């Protein structure tokens, strides 16, 4: 999956999950704070679960990690939606436009939820914890921006259309407004991870051709072992932990991890840690990866 497709899927999943949460909210007959809180709970839970599932699949995580990641994300995002619904309803009673603040808060917590599990399992590892915190901050900024924009559109739809046509059912402007809200949150969470990237690799051949993975961690292991940052299942010539890319202050470096078949950089077998340049071709097993890096500005 390319980074562009990842962002598009984030937006689509956010929209579909938000719509599903809104549809579940139709069964709530009570009014006021409880109704708003439960609608936020449903939407937040589904968006958190959907986006975390996509994040795990994109990064080729194992089944157990994916399950735990989605479970924790859905709980955190559900709590965020619940609290956001209460805050939004409270502010709505002060002035209707202030409901947007509730969705901003919800988006922020949904963004944090995407990295909640990684934060929990990295408490004893400084490098992993720094990565998880950095990812959480990016997602929180993206979620906040998505909640702000989506909340504004949602409010506009309610103000201009729903007030005139009524709540209705599944295809109404209220449903559209909720869906757009989820699309915005998913879109900006995806963009927050992709646009701030420094470097990434793209698979050039084989089963995973076209897949792109961001190099955000201090060490990204390439292999066919479950849990590798660059997991390439299906390549029999690849060692469980074949090579790694290390992130240093002055750039990225490729290291062979004593693999039986070796690691090749631009068709030459590596003998020692080597600095990477944008467009370098890395071959591990039968798989070729292109290293890509943002152009660095010079003052």
């Amino acid at each position: 999956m390319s980074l562009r497709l990842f962002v598009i899927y984030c937006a689509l999943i956010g929209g579909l999950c938000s719509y599903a949460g809104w549809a579940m909210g139709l069964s709530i007959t009570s009014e006021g704070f409880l109704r708003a809180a439960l609608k936020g709970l449903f939407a937040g839970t589904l968006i958190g679960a959907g986006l975390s599932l996509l994040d795990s699949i994109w990064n080729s995580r194992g089944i157990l990690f994916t399950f735990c990641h989605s479970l924790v994300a859905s709980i955190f995002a559900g709590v965020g939606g619940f609290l956001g619904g209460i805050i939004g309803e409270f502010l709505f009673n002060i002035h209707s436009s202030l409901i947007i603040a509730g969705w901003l808060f919800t988006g922020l917590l949904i963004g944090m939820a995407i990295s909640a599990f990684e934060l929990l399992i990295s408490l004893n590892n400084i490098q992993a914890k720094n990565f998880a915190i950095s990812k959480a901050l990016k997602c929180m900024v993206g979620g906040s921006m998505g909640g702000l924009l989506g909340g504004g559109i949602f409010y506009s739809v309610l103000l201009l259309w729903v007030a005139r046509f009524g709540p209705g059912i599944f295809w109404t402007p209220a449903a559209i407004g909720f869906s757009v809200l989820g699309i915005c949150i998913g879109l900006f969470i995806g963009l927050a991870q992709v646009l701030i990237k420094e470097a990434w690799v793209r698979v050039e051949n084989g089963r995973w051709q076209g897949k792109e993975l961001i190099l955000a961690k201090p060490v990204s292991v390439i292999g066919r072992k479950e849990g590798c940052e660059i997991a390439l299942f299906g390549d029999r010539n690849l060692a469980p932990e074949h090579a790694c890319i290390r992130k240093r202050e002055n750039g990225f470096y490729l290291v062979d991890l004593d693999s039986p078949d070796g690691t090749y950089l631009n068709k030459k077998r590596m003998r020692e840690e080597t600095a990477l340049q944008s467009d370098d071709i890395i071959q591990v097993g039968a798989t070729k990866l292109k290293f890509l890096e943002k152009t660095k500005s010079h003052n």
Side-chain angles (χ1 to χ4, degrees):
M1 183 192 303
S2 69
L3 297 178
R4 182 180 300 176
L5 277 177
F6 172 73
V7 174
I8 292 173
Y9 286 151
C10 280
L12 290 176
I13 287 175
L16 288 172
C17 290
S18 187
Y19 174 86
W22 173 85
M24 291 171 65
L26 291 178
S27 62
I28 303 170
T29 57
S30 61
E31 297 293 337
F33 287 98
L34 181 60
R35 182 183 178 89
L38 291 178
K39 277 189 173 183
L41 172 66
F42 294 148
T45 299
L46 293 178
I47 293 173
L51 292 180
S52 65
L53 180 62
L54 174 63
D55 184 77
S56 293
I57 293 173
W58 181 48
N59 288 292
S60 302
R61 299 299 191 183
I63 295 175
L64 180 60
F65 182 96
T66 299
F67 173 77
C68 294
H69 189 203
S70 298
L71 178 63
V72 173
S74 64
I75 293 172
F76 273 76
V79 171
F82 185 85
L83 295 176
I86 293 176
I87 292 171
E89 184 68 14
F90 174 77
L91 295 174
F92 179 81
N93 290 331
I94 298 175
H95 191 281
S96 59
S97 64
L98 294 178
I99 193 175
I100 298 171
W103 285 115
L104 185 152
F105 180 77
T106 299
L108 184 148
L109 289 187
I110 290 176
M112 185 187 72
I114 305 303
S115 298
F117 180 66
E118 289 168 286
L119 281 169
L120 290 174
I121 64 174
S122 66
L123 294 178
N124 295 323
N125 186 318
I126 295 176
Q127 291 184 332
K129 183 169 66 174
N130 289 338
F131 163 74
I133 291 173
S134 175
K135 181 177 179 179
L137 291 174
K138 293 174 185 177
C139 290
M140 287 167 68
V141 170
S144 299
M145 293 176 64
L148 181 63
L149 177 60
I153 296 174
F154 175 73
Y155 172 70
S156 299
V157 169
L158 290 178
L159 185 66
L160 299 176
W161 292 353
V162 177
R164 180 176 176 182
F165 298 110
I169 53 174
F170 302 106
W171 55 270
T172 63
I176 295 172
F178 235 87
S179 299
V180 170
L181 175 68
I183 287 172
C184 289
I185 291 176
L187 175 66
F188 278 92
I189 286 177
L191 283 173
Q193 297 183 72
V194 170
L195 293 181
I196 309 177
K197 67 184 184 299
E198 294 180 44
W200 65 104
V201 293
R202 183 176 66 219
V203 183
E204 296 292 290
N205 68 323
R207 176 181 176 183
W208 304 104
Q209 185 173 0
K211 182 176 183 178
E212 295 178 305
L213 291 159
I214 296 172
L215 301 172
K217 292 187 176 181
V219 178
S220 297
V221 177
I222 306 169
R224 56 182 172 84
K225 179 181 177 182
E226 185 175 302
C228 288
E229 286 71 25
I230 304 173
L232 301 169
F233 307 118
D235 186 344
R236 296 181 179 179
N237 298 314
L238 196 67
E241 293 187 351
H242 196 105
C244 72
I245 297 176
R246 291 178 179 164
K247 181 181 178 183
R248 302 191 185 280
E249 292 183 2
N250 61 338
F252 292 81
Y253 291 78
L254 180 64
V255 183
D256 179 68
L257 299 178
D258 297 324
S259 59
D261 295 336
T263 299
Y264 293 80
L265 180 62
N266 299 323
K267 299 183 178 180
K268 295 181 180 180
R269 184 163 183 169
M270 291 181 51
R271 301 298 179 185
E272 57 185 16
E273 181 175 305
T274 306
L276 289 167
Q277 303 294 327
S278 191
D279 293 327
D280 277 350
I281 299 295
I282 302 165
Q283 181 167 348
V284 286
T287 304
K288 293 181 180 179
L289 306 168
K290 177 176 278 191
F291 172 78
L292 297 161
E293 189 175 12
K294 276 189 175 180
T295 302
K296 297 179 181 179
S297 59
H298 298 279
N299 295 326

